[in-house]
Amino acid sequence: MVDQVTATLLRAAELTAAGQPGQAVALLRPVLLSHPEHADAWCHLAAAHLDAGEPDPALTAAKRAIVLGGDPAWAQRLAALALAELDRPAEAVVAARESVRCKPLDWRCHVVLAEALASHPTLAGDALGAARRAVELAGDQARPYQVLGDAAMRARDWATAQWAYRAALDIDPHDPEVRANLDAVHRNRARAAGAGGLTGADLPQALAGAERALRALVRRLVGLVAVGTLLLLLAGLPAPSTALTAPALLLVGLAVAVAALPLARMPAVGRRLVARVARERRLVGAAAALLALAVLLTAGWALALASGTRGLSTLAVAFGCALAAGVLCRPGARPRHPR
């Protein structure tokens, strides 16, 4: 039976590597039902969930593997990746550092630590050192060089970024993301970005910050609008009364205030960067558009209700738009990491 379990784990790893993590999860569940104390199986399950863009169950599986005492470096590394995708950077750094402590010569642990540090609001400057250590340990792998290039770009160390991306392409010349980043490095000092005086050298970091700000704003609004429209729907059953007009307009006003106040506090260049992110990052831009539509539909429903029109269909569509925005802006799939 042990051999059968090992074969199943190998097959699950192959499916995950082949871009079929859902099938890997389905294959692993029966194994864990019959062998719930198998720590490696929980690690394989966590890796499959991560590649499927499901950080919550990935974190649960990684924690289970940690408790069972399997490979602690692997389990902590998986937990760090899941925590990073859940926007919990401080915990991600703790888990990544623990993975490095368990296996200080495993380059994958240093790669995950570099990525966790890069997403931390105050520790991003340490990512460069972690990435350099990964390169020292695995100079024949492309991924450490890519992570070093990413960390150098954030630090605006263009010479290191150019060297690292070129080294990554020497090993894997077919990686389009690395090639695109190398092209960006080449353009940085050659042109202005046209974003309120920002030069190309400053643009990647500024855009990354604007995207984080927009995602955080969208997530706050999703909670407010989705919960508010759901409560209005429940209160309006089976037929809404005009008494719901005031709460609906209050919800619209709160949503506008939550959206407008952070933007009003930004400098003009920050607002332009947020607008650029909304145009160029399709998922977060679509989520913002759906939220705006949900607020407009709620306002229209409230005004129609005040004029005597009855019905909940418009409000139901607004609720659906808010839910769809939450799905689009959830923490999810990112470039594949080493497992």
Side-chain angles (χ1 to χ4, degrees), residues 88-156:
R88 293 159 63 177
E91 295 169 83
V93 169
V94 171
R97 282 179 168 159
E98 181 61 19
S99 75
V100 169
R101 188 193 67 80
C102 294
K103 281 191 178 179
L105 299 181
D106 189 330
W107 66 270
R108 295 168 298 179
C109 298
H110 292 275
V111 161
V112 172
L113 176 59
E115 293 179 319
L117 289 167
S119 65
H120 195 283
T122 61
L123 299 177
D126 297 336
L128 206 55
R132 284 196 175 104
R133 181 58 178 153
V135 167
E136 291 172 3
L137 292 170
D140 59 340
Q141 299 288 330
R143 181 63 179 160
Y145 290 105
Q146 180 183 2
V147 173
L148 176 58
D150 294 344
M153 278 194 73
R154 293 187 191 96
R156 298 197 292 277

Side-chain angles (χ1 to χ4, degrees), residues 17-239:
Q20 299 174 306
Q23 293 185 30
V25 170
L27 189 65
L28 289 166
R29 280 174 178 160
V31 173
L32 288 166
L33 285 175
S34 58
H35 297 77
E37 306 303 311
H38 200 300
D40 280 355
W42 285 107
C43 283
H44 280 282
L45 182 64
H49 277 305
L50 278 171
D51 273 355
E54 299 165 350
D56 277 311
L59 180 59
T60 300
K63 286 181 175 179
R64 182 63 177 156
I66 292 170
V67 170
L68 291 172
D71 181 342
W74 188 16
Q76 292 284 1
R77 192 166 71 240
L78 291 164
L81 291 169
L83 288 163
E85 293 192 1
L86 289 167
D87 290 331
R88 293 159 63 177
E91 295 169 83
V93 169
V94 171
R97 282 179 168 159
E98 181 61 19
S99 75
V100 169
R101 188 193 67 80
C102 294
K103 281 191 178 179
L105 299 181
D106 189 330
W107 66 270
R108 295 168 298 179
C109 298
H110 292 275
V111 161
V112 172
L113 176 59
E115 293 179 319
L117 289 167
S119 65
H120 195 283
T122 61
L123 299 177
D126 297 336
L128 206 55
R132 284 196 175 104
R133 181 58 178 153
V135 167
E136 291 172 3
L137 292 170
D140 59 340
Q141 299 288 330
R143 181 63 179 160
Y145 290 105
Q146 180 183 2
V147 173
L148 176 58
D150 294 344
M153 278 194 73
R154 293 187 191 96
R156 298 197 292 277
D157 182 348
W158 308 119
T160 299
Q162 179 173 294
W163 172 81
Y165 287 139
R166 282 179 173 170
L169 287 173
D170 286 342
I171 298 169
D172 180 8
H174 304 297
D175 190 321
E177 183 181 355
V178 173
R179 192 167 296 280
N181 286 346
L182 180 58
D183 290 341
V185 170
H186 289 159
R187 293 193 304 267
N188 269 321
R189 293 176 180 175
R191 66 177 178 84
L198 283 174
T199 65
D202 300 315
L203 186 61
Q205 185 177 21
L207 282 175
E211 183 174 0
R212 286 193 296 271
L214 183 56
R215 284 184 177 274
L217 179 59
V218 167
R219 287 173 187 156
R220 285 197 297 271
L221 283 168
V222 163
L224 173 64
V225 177
V227 171
T229 50
L230 177 60
L231 291 176
L232 288 170
L233 280 170
L234 295 175
L237 293 174

Side-chain angles (χ1 to χ4, degrees), residues 4-16:
Q4 183 179 349
V5 171
T6 301
T8 302
L9 297 184
L10 289 173
R11 178 57 182 156
E14 291 172 355
L15 288 169
T16 301

